[in-house]
Amino acid sequence: MSAVSRRAGRFSAGRAEEAQRRLGALVEIRELPSFPPRVVAGVDVHYEGSRACAAVAFLEYASLRELKTTTALSYSPLDYFPGFLAFKEAPAIFKALERCEKPDVLLVNGHGVCHPRGCGLATHVGVVEKVPTIGVALGPLAGARPGSFAKIERGQSSLYVSVGNLITLEQAEKVVRRLLAPESKLPLPLYLAHRAARLAARSRG
DNA sequence: GCGACAG
DNA sequence: ATCTTGTCGC
């Protein structure tokens, strides 16, 4: 890794793995208190150089009506390392989540418990924020625990759905299937969050 | 040296 | 993820 192109900072893989095992042990796999959920949201982060912009897009589950979007500009602290996405994206996500109410369930662009240490980005966010989360990724992660995800085949691509926190895999898959949109590989809330984060990073950067 | 593993 | 036009394939 070249010192100029990779911002590793004080990142220590050993300490990060320990944190992931600690958070992963706190995951609670259980049914949502109320199903189907009323309000769902998706969160995504867009990067412009060293700046980061997180967006949370809210939808009414029954109607798929867009409710609102919350964004937050922040600083991108770290490059991406496989297995450690949360240490790059979670800080920006936390800042955006501070600015809005919690949805009944939050979709996150990344894996949940389908992760070598049972703590992908969706789990990291769900455990820290104590909010139900679903991990949605376009590809598998090497070393992930077998049987910890549902694979949704979608023509060219596939979706890997896993529990983030406070939901069951069965409910997570139902929610994702309901939110699939023809205009995007990702479910609607993540598609909207993705677009909102990019727009906000450009207009408010 | 080759291969590769969310975003 | 991001750099970025045309191009191959259904």
Side-chain angles (χ1 to χ4, degrees):
Chain A
M1 98 177 113
S2 96
V4 285
S5 66
R6 296 221 107 176
R7 283 167 303 124
R10 301 175 52 256
F11 180 74
S12 152
R15 284 187 293 115
E17 286 179 358
E18 186 182 333
Q20 288 178 327
R21 276 187 275 267
R22 205 167 58 237
L23 290 174
L26 298 177
V27 170
E28 296 181 52
I29 298 181
R30 62 165 69 139
E31 295 192 337
L32 289 175
S34 173
F35 193 89
R38 193 180 77 77
V39 175
V40 298
V43 63
D44 192 30
V45 185
H46 180 82
Y47 298 90
E48 291 279 343
S50 62
R51 278 201 327 276
C53 181
V56 186
F58 289 82
L59 293 176
E60 185 178 62
Y61 187 75
S63 66
L64 298 186
R65 183 169 62 94
E66 300 179 35
L67 297 176
K68 67 169 182 178
T69 298
T70 300
T71 61
L73 291 176
S74 59
Y75 182 72
S76 163
L78 189 71
D79 273 343
Y80 166 71
F81 298 95
F84 300 99
L85 178 63
F87 294 86
K88 171 186 170 79
E89 301 214 334
I93 291 174
F94 292 147
K95 185 169 180 181
L97 289 177
E98 280 174 16
R99 300 185 176 184
C100 53
E101 302 302 309
K102 307 281 188 280
D104 294 327
V105 61
L106 178 68
L107 278 70
V108 179
N109 201 341
H111 291 295
V113 298
C114 173
H115 176 277
R117 291 163 293 282
C119 188
L121 176 60
T123 294
H124 193 114
V125 171
V127 168
V128 171
E129 294 290 326
K130 298 177 169 44
V131 62
T133 54
I134 298 172
V136 183
L138 290 171
L141 184 53
R145 293 158 181 194
S148 60
F149 63 92
K151 185 175 180 180
I152 298 179
E153 313 272 0
R154 290 246 297 164
Q156 309 292 327
S157 59
S158 297
L159 284 181
Y160 296 78
V161 178
S162 59
V163 169
N165 194 27
L166 297 171
I167 194 171
T168 63
L169 181 57
E170 290 70 25
Q171 288 188 329
E173 182 176 357
K174 277 184 189 171
V175 168
V176 171
R177 287 190 181 279
R178 157 75 181 150
L179 296 170
L180 290 179
E183 61 264 41
S184 167
K185 293 180 183 176
L186 293 170
L188 195 51
L190 289 177
Y191 171 70
L192 295 175
H194 187 76
R195 194 160 53 63
R198 182 170 44 76
L199 287 175
R202 196 205 310 168
S203 67
R204 306 193 328 181

